[in-house]
Amino acid sequence: MKKEIRKVLVVNAGSSSLKYMLFDMKGEQMLCKGLVERIGIPGSRLVYQKAGGEKMPKEIKAPNHAEALKAVVAAVSDPVNGVIKSLKEIDAIGHRILHGAEVFKDSAVMDAKNLAKCEKLVKFGPLHMPPNLGGVKACRKIFPGVPNVGVFDTAFHQTMPDCAALYAIAPEFYRKMGIRKYGFHGTSHKFVTLAAAKWLKKPLKKVNLVTCHLGNGSSMAAVKNGEVIDTTMGLTPLAGLVMGTRCGDIDAAAVLAIMKEKKLSPDEMDTLLNKKSGFQALTGCEGGDCRDMCAKADKGDIASITALEMFGHRCALYVGGYNTLIGGADAIVMTGGIGENSSEGRAQIVKRLGALGIKLDKAANARLHGTLGVISTKDSKIPVVVIPTNEELMIARDTVRVLKG
Ligand code: ADP
């Protein structure tokens, strides 16, 4: 008989940080969470937080991801403050992995064969994939015999038809280089899709949604009969909505013109578009933080007011387009830091949706922060519902599902 999978560790390994969360899947209870910062950089630090407890920071030695994970294991199983007695209690580990390309259309066990397949996808995420896979390899060593599951940011979008996924360029670029739209934030879009189906009391296969993950990075998905048929991010997370530091959609000719005029290399242009654009470039707010931008807009800063309007304009454009593509939405779902918390950010979108018969419930919108609720009026033709996302729980659920076969 297969061992019951109770305790699942979720790992999100980035280049110099590693976030973790431990779940008891009986009742889907989060036991503890935290992160290791400055991996491979002097001054590494572990933050450990028990459910309902204070954050406990600690200086540690973490020259690499394996040492960072060992520190996590020590904290989690600490006799005084830990939540498990030994690492033997951990039944499975779920990993966030950026890119599954067309190889991984679903989460998968990270055995040697699948790890080798992932290594071939590093070209799609040269910054994120090596640390993501490094986390898997470290866990395979530290937790011998414990299964690892990879949960891909791209997987939920792999149901997109060719007409949405392909770019209108010579097909050889797709065939030889894999240049197409993949989409990201898939784990979040999937989590809120499942939650919305439950909220709507409809079977997943009958649910039509426009899901909006609005955070530092933002993306939308058109979900028809429970499956993604289009999404705003593309080959990389640069495309689509106006984001914190990314420009989103832009005429490729504008990119070329800037490169020529400023004599920028492809890498320099990549940095400009991904890290020095978006709200940050438009408003001067560090990291393009939405709270700071809203505060400036409140004080009458024209650049911030315009940036918020650009955000709402582009979001509304995609909501309208996606509503058409899915044949009418059962709900518009908002999530992510902005979607869950920013009344101003949400209002900028909803006030532009009048043609869909949607009206903003101003009081509900002002009230709702980080909890599930409706921000459209009762007589709106389509409800706009805020659903807090939980990507870590989605990874833990997928880990159990995949391992149960
Ligand atoms: P990431 O994409 O890094 O996961 P998040 O989903 O955490 O980002 O979203 C971060 C964004 O959410 C920031 O722009 C932040 O200003 C915004 N945000 C978070 N809380 C609030 C709030 N209470 N009001 C307005 N904006 C908020």
Side-chain angles (χ1 to χ4, degrees), residues 185 213-217 288-292 294 336-338 341-342 369:
H185 290 142
H213 178 103
L214 311 171
N216 229 332
D289 192 277
C290 183
R291 270 167 295 199
D292 298 344
C294 289
I338 296 174
N341 298 295
S342 176
H369 297 288

Side-chain angles (χ1 to χ4, degrees), residues 3-69:
K3 191 182 165 214
E4 188 195 4
I5 300 157
R6 271 282 297 264
K7 307 236 167 100
V8 177
L9 180 67
V10 172
V11 172
N12 181 356
S15 57
S16 66
S17 72
L18 183 147
K19 293 186 191 140
Y20 65 92
M21 222 179 247
L22 181 64
F23 288 94
D24 183 342
M25 294 309 282
K26 193 175 174 192
E28 297 192 330
Q29 209 190 343
M30 193 266 285
L31 301 175
C32 68
K33 65 177 178 178
L35 82 162
V36 181
E37 292 171 305
R38 300 178 67 85
I39 299 172
I41 308 170
S44 308
R45 197 172 86 117
L46 169 105
V47 179
Y48 171 77
Q49 188 177 16
K50 246 200 262 202
E54 297 281 305
K55 278 187 186 164
M56 296 168 62
K58 187 180 163 191
E59 298 288 312
I60 56 158
K61 286 215 161 59
N64 52 47
H65 286 78
E67 293 303 316
L69 268 163

